[in-house]
């Protein structure tokens, strides 16, 4: 994790700077100088090259190597994250201990208005920020916030945390120049607790509320997550000061994998031994193990790699799964089952559970149900009546007149035909926008959703598998400059 | 029963199916459908059955033998005289023999129906309620009163033209004189040759359309033409003229021979018929399909590109006079349709919308008769008719689900149903 030492700000090559930003935790003083240097850096780069030829001709090994973080650094990030979380809770007026459970909407309704809050601060609200896409001014985003007063401090801390995450995620030229000292809340580290995975919906909504971003790329927007989720998992140093590795399988190259295999095989032998003993005693009985295997799946290769923090080959993975299956086939005790359970993930049978509205009844006592559907730019709303003769009315016009093309009428027929309910329901719908085909698709979706109230759960699942309940995500792709259409390029002329 | 019926007896023989068609006299042997695939039906290696492509159909037909009798009871009736059709025949098809078809309908049938007649080798019309209603009125007309106007209207494809044909068939059987204009829209558009009228300088002649119509008129009403005598002298040109008292056939001949005078011949025919029907010698039926063309706009233009209004066309002008109810001894049955109309929105089907103010005022008062989509019984009858003629080859067409699908897709619209079934 050795970044080349950053020389004085006037002579910083751009590439080295990027590699070095990771380690600026130590170079605080130089940072500010480098910050001012960046703005002139790109312009002056060519000039700088002349002054320091020795630096540029050597291969930039550090930049090519993957960035790695020290354990201290990660710990620091976790502390700061927790502080930021507490600040956020304070801002929202919630109890920091149980912030994750509060509803942001409820807290907002208690009088927290964004405008009021921002008016009370000596800094402009995020809406006045310059266009985030305007990269040349990236340096001044954070600079406009300055510490004054406790609320301001909390906010700047939060901003620091948030923008730091932003920086990590995009690895773009957004640079946070102001490195603020960590401000611990009164009471010290007692309040810090690692809250892995507690960052949930409310947090995210609060962040998107406080820091609205105009960026299209969702991954470039400000986020506030636990550092474990952001920084990739890395292995600690594997050998001691004398250079001797800690693990006995270090020299295999894939120590975690082989140690896991060793452990699993040990368990297999153990289980077989126990099975032999039972057989010898005559107490052996066939036990079905299918119970715990249903509804779950083995880890996939990527998940296993992530768990072991090691690269595996396909054959390794296959071998491991075979061993685990062999283990699970034998009668195991609780410890072994728990061991196997670590490598299984549950698979929900019904991956999509959406609400099924109950039937409504109108004045005559007729059961009906409404549904909405969208396709491209068409929006449709359908009301399906329980008893009818198969009449469909769209915007007051019979469907035969509204859709003279057979293809559109076939689309309307699909849900009913699928459920064998042709001619049993009456439908009244309204549709707007889009063209002929997208209106037909939107009505079809709306009708299917409305029909869900009339049918059994199984049939809903069949409909979902048939694709009747899914909004078609395809929309028109934008035309790009330099091309004739979304994909079509201009005719290529040789000369 | 019916003379033109075919029966299928199928026998599975190893890996090929030989169909033996039992025929009564009259029709051709193994009516291959002209635009479906034609195969020789003794090829051992190939399935062939009225040109079908689906290998599953032989199996389906084995089951079809037994219900044939029952389906015939639903879809067909033995009563071939329209005068005797009643409520009990609604939804059933009755047969018109080919000879009658040639005489009564030289030019009246819709083109798709003509294709269907050619395919099935028989002309079967369905008896429907609007036609029955009209028949009832016609049977009870008082010929001393001025002619009553009946207007058949409805959405596209519901069967207005075929109902009109039903009425015409009835009147022909009753020995009326049929004045049938198959489609008035054809006279107001796509006319290549417009001549300045010889009779009246402001108007235009359409020799081609007029001569075609005269030919068909002659075929339809041969027996009357010699009986009716003209009551005026008509001078065609310097050399030809028709004397007073000569049969109408001469006028018609003149019109057919001399195409230039065809339009005037048509005008004369109309005038004479109108005059003489009031005398009670014969009963006149004026049947116009697409009467909204008479009061709409035309797409025809003069040489200087200015548009022509319908009254400037001699044919239209004379027809308008015919449609007025100032004569006795007959009836006027009209249809308004959007299909061939010019400059009318697709969804318009009411007489008010299609005729426009002028036309509506002229035709007022009239008896409107709505022709709507099939009711369930008629739908069933139609499907059975297609099944009997083996028009529906899809294996699902026999099943209830298939019928429900067809019902949904066509919404019981006769025209659409016919088009859908053409693909099956």
């Amino acid at each position: 994790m050795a970044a080349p030492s950053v020389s004085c700000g006037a002579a910083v090559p751009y590439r080295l700077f990027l590699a070095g930003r990771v380690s600026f935790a130590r170079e605080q003083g130089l940072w500010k100088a480098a910050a001012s240097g960046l703005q002139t850096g790109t312009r002056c780069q060519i000039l700088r090259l002349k002054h320091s030829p020795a630096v540029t001709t050597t291969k930039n090994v550090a930049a090519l190597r993957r960035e790695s973080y020290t354990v201290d650094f990660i710990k620091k990030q976790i502390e700061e994250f927790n502080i930021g979380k507490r600040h956020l809770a304070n801002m929202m007026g919630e109890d920091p201990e149980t912030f994750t459970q509060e509803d942001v909407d409820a807290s907002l309704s208690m009088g927290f208005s964004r405008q009021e809050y921002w008016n009370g601060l000596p800094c402009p609200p995020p809406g006045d920020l310059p266009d985030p896409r305007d990269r040349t001014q990236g340096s001044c985003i954070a600079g406009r916030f300055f510490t004054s007063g406790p609320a301001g401090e909390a906010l700047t801390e939060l901003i620091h945390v948030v923008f730091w995450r932003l920086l990590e995620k995009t690895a773009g030229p957004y640079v946070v120049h102001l490195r603020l000292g960590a401000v611990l809340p009164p009471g010290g580290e007692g309040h810090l607790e690692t809250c892995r995975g507690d960052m949930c919906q409310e947090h995210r909504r609060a962040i998107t509320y406080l820091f609205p971003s105009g960026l299209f790329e969702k991954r470039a927007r400000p986020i506030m997550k636990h550092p474990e989720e952001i920084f990739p998992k890395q292995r600690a140093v594997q050998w001691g000061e004398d250079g001797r590795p800690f693990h006995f399988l270090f020299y295999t190259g894939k120590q975690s994998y082989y140690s896991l295999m060793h452990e699993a095989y040990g368990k297999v032998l153990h289980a077989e031994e126990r099975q032999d003993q039972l057989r010898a005693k005559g107490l052996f009985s066939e036990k079905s193990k299918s119970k715990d295997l249903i509804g779950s799946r083995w880890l996939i290769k990527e998940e296993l790699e992530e768990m072991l923090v090691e690269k595996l080959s396909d054959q390794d993975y296959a071998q491991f799964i075979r061993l685990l299956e062999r283990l699970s086939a034998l009668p195991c005790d609780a410890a072994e089952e728990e061991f196997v359970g670590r490598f299984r993930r549950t698979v929900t049978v019904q991956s999509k559970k959406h609400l099924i509205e109950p039937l409504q009844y109108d004045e005559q006592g007729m059961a009906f149900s409404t549904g909405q559907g969208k396709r491209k730019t068409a929006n449709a709303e359908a009301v399906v009546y329980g008893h009818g003769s198969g009449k469909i009315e769209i915007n007051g016009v019979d469907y035969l007149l509204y859709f003279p093309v057979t293809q559109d009428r076939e689309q309307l027929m699909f849900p009913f035909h699928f459920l064998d309910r042709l001619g049993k329901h009456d439908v009244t719908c309204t549709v707007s926008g889009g063209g002929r085909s997208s209106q037909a698709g939107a009505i079809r979706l709306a009708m299917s959703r409305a029909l869900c109230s009339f049918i059994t759960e199984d049939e809903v699942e069949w409909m979902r598998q048939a694709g009747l309940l899914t909004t078609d995500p395809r929309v028109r792709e934008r035309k790009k400059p330099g091309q004739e259409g979304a994909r079509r390029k201009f005719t290529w002329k040789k000369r | 029963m019916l003379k033109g019926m075919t029966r299928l007896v199928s026998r599975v023989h190893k890996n090929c199916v030989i169909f033996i068609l039992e025929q009564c006299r009259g029709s051709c042997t193994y009516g291959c459908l002209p635009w479906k695939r034609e195969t020789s039906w003794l090829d051992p290696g190939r399935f062939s059955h009225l040109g079908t492509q689906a290998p599953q159909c032989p199996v389906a037909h084995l089951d079809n033998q037994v219900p044939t009798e029952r389906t015939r009871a639903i879809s067909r009736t033995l009563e071939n005289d329209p005068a005797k059709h009643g409520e009990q025949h609604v939804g059933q098809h009755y047969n018109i023999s080919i000879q009658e078809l040639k005489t009564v309908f030289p030019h009246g049938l819709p083109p798709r129906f003509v294709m269907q007649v050619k395919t099935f080798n028989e002309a079967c019309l369905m008896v429907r309620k609007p036609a029955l209603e009209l028949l009832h009125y016609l049977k009870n007309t008082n010929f001393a009163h001025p002619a009553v106007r009946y207007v058949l209207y409805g959405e596209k494809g519901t069967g207005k033209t075929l109902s009109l044909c039903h009425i015409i068939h009835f009147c022909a059987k009753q020995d009326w004189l049929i004045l049938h204009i198959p489609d008035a829209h054809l006279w107001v558009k796509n006319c290549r040759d417009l001549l300045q009228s010889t009779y009246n300088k402001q108007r235009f002649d359409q020799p081609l359309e007029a001569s075609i119509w005269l030919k068909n008129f002659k075929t339809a009403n041969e027996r009357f033409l010699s009986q009716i005598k003209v009551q005026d002298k008509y001078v065609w040109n310097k050399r030809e003229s028709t004397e007073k008292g000569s049969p109408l056939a001469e006028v018609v001949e003149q019109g057919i021979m001399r195409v230039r005078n065809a339009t005037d011949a048509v005008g004369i025919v109309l005038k004479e018929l109108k005059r003489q029907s009031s005398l009670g010698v014969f009963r006149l039926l004026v049947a116009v399909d697409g009467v909204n063309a008479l009061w709409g706009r035309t797409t025809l233009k003069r040489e200087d590109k200015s548009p022509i209004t319908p009254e400037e066309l001699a044919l239209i002008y004379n027809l308008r006079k015919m449609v007025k109810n100032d004569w006795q001894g007959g009836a006027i049955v009209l249809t308004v349709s959007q299909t061939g109309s010019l400059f009318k929105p697709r969804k318009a089907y009411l007489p008010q919308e299609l005729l426009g103010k002028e036309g509506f005022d002229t035709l007022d008062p009239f008896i409107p008769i709505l022709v709507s989509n099939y009711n369930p019984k008629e739908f069933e009858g139609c499907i059975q008719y297609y099944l009997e003629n083996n028009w529906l080859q899809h294996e699902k067409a026999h099943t209830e689900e298939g019928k429900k699908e067809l019902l949904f897709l066509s919404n019981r619209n006769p025209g659409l149903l016919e088009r859908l079934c053409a693909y099956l």
Side-chain angles (χ1 to χ4, degrees):
Chain A
M1 180 59 204
S5 65
V6 177
S7 50
C8 76
V12 173
Y14 189 58
R15 267 190 284 141
L16 278 180
F17 177 71
L18 266 190
R21 64 179 166 81
V22 169
S23 61
F24 69 66
R26 300 193 212 119
E27 272 84 29
Q28 182 175 355
L30 289 166
W31 187 259
K32 283 193 181 128
S36 53
L38 176 67
Q39 289 186 317
T40 54
T42 42
R43 282 200 307 269
C44 310
Q45 188 173 356
I46 299 170
L47 296 173
R48 295 291 167 261
L49 284 175
K50 283 195 196 147
H51 286 280
S52 51
V55 182
T56 48
T57 46
T58 55
K59 192 165 164 194
N60 196 350
V61 179
L64 294 176
R65 206 193 317 146
R66 203 155 64 117
E67 304 147 10
S68 44
Y69 314 105
T70 50
V71 178
D72 298 331
F73 176 74
I74 299 279
K75 262 209 219 137
K76 199 85 197 230
Q77 295 305 310
I78 294 177
E79 282 171 19
E80 285 171 13
F81 170 75
N82 289 324
I83 293 164
K85 210 154 86 71
R86 299 185 75 84
H87 284 313
L88 182 65
N90 288 331
M91 275 201 293
M92 306 302 273
E94 304 305 324
D95 180 13
E97 309 290 332
T98 55
F99 178 53
T100 57
Q101 311 307 317
E102 299 289 338
D103 193 13
V104 172
D105 293 333
S107 67
L108 286 179
S109 68
M110 286 196 296
F112 178 80
S113 144
R114 184 158 75 163
Q115 198 54 45
E116 282 171 13
Y117 178 73
W118 287 111
N119 284 342
L121 288 188
C123 49
D128 290 351
L129 288 179
D131 191 345
R133 281 169 278 185
D134 189 4
R135 294 182 170 199
T136 54
Q137 297 187 38
S139 56
C140 59
I141 292 173
R144 289 168 72 177
F145 295 95
F146 49 92
T147 59
S148 67
E153 275 179 5
L155 184 61
T156 42
E157 266 310 304
L158 186 61
I159 292 165
H160 167 75
V161 168
V162 168
F163 275 98
W164 177 239
R165 303 289 167 258
L166 171 66
L167 173 68
E168 287 309 313
K169 261 305 180 188
T170 57
Y174 296 94
V175 180
V176 178
H177 287 277
L178 297 182
R179 173 71 176 85
L180 309 166
V183 173
L184 294 178
E189 288 97 2
H191 295 274
L192 301 178
E193 77 265 26
T194 53
C195 46
R196 171 198 293 278
D198 280 353
M199 196 72 197
C200 61
Q201 195 73 7
E202 284 78 22
H203 268 157
R204 283 197 282 275
R205 275 160 42 188
I207 295 294
T208 45
Y209 180 77
L210 287 172
F211 299 96
S213 161
L215 300 172
F216 288 125
E217 175 66 51
K218 297 242 164 58
R219 288 176 293 178
R221 293 185 189 157
I223 45 168
M224 187 164 162
K225 281 194 184 167
H226 197 275
E228 297 274 321
E229 293 168 34
I230 296 182
F231 295 102
K233 280 213 290 194
Q234 283 174 340
R235 293 151 74 165
V237 171
Q238 310 281 322
W239 51 87
E241 281 169 2
D242 54 348
R244 195 163 167 267
F246 296 132
H247 202 281
F248 73 104
L249 288 176
F250 175 78
Y251 286 110
T252 60
K254 297 182 253 192
Q255 60 180 43
S256 331
Y257 169 73
Y258 282 111
S259 74
L260 190 64
M261 288 289 280
H262 181 72
E263 196 185 336
Y265 190 62
K267 290 199 193 303
V268 165
L269 289 179
H270 189 68
E272 278 181 352
E273 200 184 297
R274 207 177 48 246
Q275 194 183 47
D276 290 338
Q277 282 170 1
L278 284 178
R279 269 220 193 96
K281 285 190 206 158
L283 298 172
F284 179 70
S285 58
E286 289 291 340
K287 206 169 52 145
S288 62
K289 301 293 286 301
S290 51
K291 207 162 32 92
D292 46 341
L293 295 182
I294 286 178
S296 59
R297 58 164 177 89
W298 292 117
L299 281 187
I300 54 172
K301 182 165 165 260
E302 280 76 26
E303 286 172 347
L304 188 61
E305 278 185 1
E306 199 193 356
M307 200 158 131
L308 300 176
V309 200
E310 246 173 26
K311 277 196 119 45
L312 300 176
S313 76
D314 289 333
Q315 289 87 357
D316 295 336
Y317 171 71
Q319 191 77 3
F320 178 63
I321 296 295
R322 250 178 276 153
L323 190 61
L324 279 182
E325 286 194 349
R326 193 172 148 197
L327 176 59
S328 60
L330 300 167
C332 307
D333 58 3
E336 281 158 16
E337 283 187 19
E338 190 262 328
F339 175 75
V340 171
R342 268 175 29 202
F343 301 102
R344 287 198 76 91
R345 298 274 177 269
T346 48
V347 164
T348 48
V349 174
Q350 282 177 332
S351 47
K352 269 275 190 86
K353 268 262 188 220
H354 59 274
L355 295 172
I356 299 177
E357 253 112 276
L359 284 180
Q360 302 165 59
Y361 292 88
D362 63 2
E363 300 89 43
Q364 277 86 32
M366 171 85 94
F368 73 94
S369 169
T370 45
Q372 296 193 328
K374 265 203 248 217
R375 170 90 215 272
K376 280 193 188 176
T377 40
N379 286 293
E381 184 175 337
V383 178
V384 176
Y385 293 95
H387 301 281
S389 60
K391 222 164 32 92
I392 300 186
E393 199 170 304
I394 305 172
N395 288 352
V397 177
D398 194 40
Y399 72 105
L400 198 68
L401 297 179
Y402 197 83
F403 289 127
V405 180
T406 313
Q407 175 196 338
D408 300 332
R409 273 174 281 133
E410 280 175 7
Q411 288 288 301
L412 294 191
M413 189 172 78
F414 185 16
F416 296 111
H417 184 245
F418 187 76
L419 299 168
D420 266 334
R421 280 167 181 252
L422 276 173
K424 289 197 189 139
H425 293 279
D426 264 350
V427 184
T428 312
C429 37
T430 49
V431 68
S432 62
R436 171 207 90 185
S437 178
S438 40
Q439 281 189 345
I443 297 177
R444 179 185 108 179
L445 182 63
M447 284 201 305
S448 319
R449 289 203 177 135
L451 271 177
C452 283
S453 315
F454 290 97
I455 54 179
T456 60
E457 291 257 342
D458 284 341
E459 288 182 323
V460 172
E461 180 58 24
W462 295 340
M463 281 229 284
R464 187 192 67 81
Q465 287 180 359
L468 276 168
L469 297 175
T470 322
T471 318
D472 201 331
R474 300 177 286 178
V475 283
R476 191 171 157 268
E477 204 175 304
R478 79 162 259 218
K479 176 200 176 312
K480 284 105 191 170
Q483 294 177 3
E484 199 170 312
R487 298 285 172 101
R488 160 121 175 106
K489 321 282 185 277
F490 288 120
T491 315
W492 179 75
K493 294 252 170 67
K494 202 162 178 186
R495 50 186 69 85
Chain B
M1 88 52 10
L2 308 181
K3 287 165 192 150
M5 274 311 292
T6 68
R7 263 156 146 239
L8 290 185
V9 172
S10 69
R11 202 177 62 203
V12 177
H13 173 71
K14 287 189 207 169
N15 55 352
C16 80
V17 180
I18 302 173
F19 288 94
I20 302 167
L21 300 171
E22 288 178 2
Q23 293 269 266
C24 301
R25 61 192 165 193
S27 354
C28 71
T29 46
Y30 44 92
C32 277
L33 308 175
W35 60 91
K36 286 198 173 177
R37 193 194 65 171
E38 292 181 73
T39 56
S40 87
W41 50 294
L42 291 177
D43 260 351
R46 304 218 281 188
F47 296 129
S48 59
H49 148 68
L50 288 184
T52 168
Q53 310 246 8
Q56 301 96 326
C57 69
V59 180
H61 278 284
L62 286 172
D63 307 327
N64 218 20
Q65 302 305 310
V66 172
T68 314
E69 303 301 328
R70 190 163 48 91
T71 56
R72 266 194 229 152
I74 301 174
S75 74
R76 285 182 191 262
T77 173
L78 298 177
E79 188 56 67
N80 281 352
D81 189 7
K84 305 207 187 82
H85 286 154
E87 290 283 334
Q88 69 275 20
H89 296 121
V90 168
Q92 294 179 341
H93 293 81
Y94 78 96
N95 199 8
I96 307 177
S97 65
I98 309 285
Q99 281 78 20
E100 260 189 55
L101 208 71
K102 286 206 186 96
T103 31
V104 179
F105 296 115
H107 59 173
L109 298 171
R112 285 195 80 96
F113 187 71
V114 170
M115 284 200 284
Q116 186 182 306
V117 166
K118 194 168 161 215
T119 310
F120 294 161
N121 256 330
E122 57 180 5
C124 281
L125 272 187
M126 192 197 269
V127 178
R128 292 185 73 194
K129 261 200 144 138
L132 281 177
E133 195 186 330
L134 243 185
L135 285 175
H136 176 72
Y137 294 146
L138 284 178
K139 283 177 206 167
N140 300 342
T141 41
N142 184 348
F143 294 106
H145 290 164
V148 186
R149 286 183 285 226
Y150 307 94
V151 174
L152 288 164
Y153 71 101
E155 282 171 11
K156 185 168 159 182
T158 44
K160 305 179 282 285
T161 309
L162 278 182
S163 298
L164 193 68
C165 294
H166 191 177
I167 305 299
I168 293 172
H169 187 221
F170 163 75
C171 294
K173 274 267 168 76
Q174 302 281 307
D175 230 13
W176 291 35
L177 205 164
I178 313 280
L179 197 77
H180 180 39
I181 287 102
D183 195 357
H185 293 295
L186 295 175
W187 288 358
V188 296
K189 52 183 178 177
N190 301 337
C191 180
R192 289 296 172 86
D193 37 3
L194 269 182
L195 305 174
Q196 205 184 31
S197 172
T198 44
Y199 185 73
N200 188 333
K201 292 282 182 267
Q202 268 78 40
R203 295 198 212 125
F204 291 94
D205 263 2
Q206 283 155 299
L208 212 62
E209 282 91 6
S211 59
I212 293 169
W213 184 80
L214 277 174
K215 274 190 222 136
N216 290 327
F217 176 72
K218 185 172 153 197
T219 332
N221 300 303
E222 287 274 12
R223 57 190 185 283
F224 286 104
L225 292 179
S226 39
Q227 292 169 12
I228 303 171
K229 308 279 183 248
V230 226
Q231 288 173 357
D232 268 335
K233 179 174 172 195
Y234 299 105
V235 179
W236 302 108
N237 48 31
K238 271 187 277 190
R239 269 167 268 162
E240 288 166 15
S241 69
T242 313
E243 297 304 319
K244 182 173 164 177
S246 49
L248 203 59
E250 267 195 40
V251 176
V252 176
E253 275 307 315
Q254 180 71 28
I256 297 175
M257 292 294 152
R258 298 264 177 271
V259 185
R260 283 197 61 169
N261 301 334
T263 320
D264 294 327
V266 171
I268 294 168
V269 163
L270 293 178
K271 191 165 80 175
E272 289 296 324
L273 287 178
K274 191 165 159 181
R275 218 191 289 174
Q276 297 195 13
S277 75
S278 315
L279 303 175
V281 179
F282 53 84
R283 278 171 280 176
L284 180 63
L285 174 76
V286 177
V288 184
D289 203 331
V291 77
N292 46 325
L294 303 187
W295 289 281
R297 285 157 62 180
T298 68
T299 47
L300 307 172
K301 292 198 170 70
R302 295 192 192 90
E303 282 88 20
D304 53 355
K305 309 279 173 65
S306 56
I308 302 178
T309 51
E311 23 315 319
E312 291 172 18
L313 293 167
L315 281 175
I316 307 292
Y317 184 77
N318 293 325
L319 200 54
R320 278 196 195 178
K321 284 193 270 185
M322 206 62 201
V323 169
K324 266 201 277 196
N325 57 351
D326 49 2
W327 51 277
Q328 298 103 345
I332 309 176
V333 182
L334 310 167
T335 317
V336 285
S337 90
Q338 193 276 334
T339 312
S341 69
L342 298 163
F343 308 105
K344 289 279 182 265
R346 182 171 63 90
K347 300 203 178 151
Y349 71 98
L350 297 167
Q352 170 76 28
E353 295 163 352
L354 287 172
L355 289 170
K357 187 166 182 311
E358 197 195 330
F360 194 81
D361 291 334
T362 323
L363 279 187
D364 208 20
F366 60 87
I367 299 180
I369 300 176
L370 173 66
V371 183
S372 56
N373 292 332
Y374 283 151
N375 57 30
K377 189 166 165 232
E378 288 173 345
F379 180 79
E380 189 62 35
C382 186
I383 296 278
Q384 292 304 330
Y385 176 66
Y386 287 140
L387 286 173
E388 270 174 43
N389 285 67
N390 302 308
W391 187 235
L392 300 176
Q393 292 298 327
H394 201 272
E395 62 271 8
K396 277 243 192 100
H398 304 267
T399 58
E400 278 305 312
E401 295 95 37
K403 284 189 196 140
K404 277 196 205 157
E405 279 184 50
L406 282 174
L407 201 147
F408 186 96
L409 279 181
S410 65
N411 202 19
R412 293 202 288 255
N413 185 297
L416 268 181
L417 182 64
E418 196 262 317
R419 269 166 216 267
L420 271 180
C421 294
Y423 296 120
L424 295 175

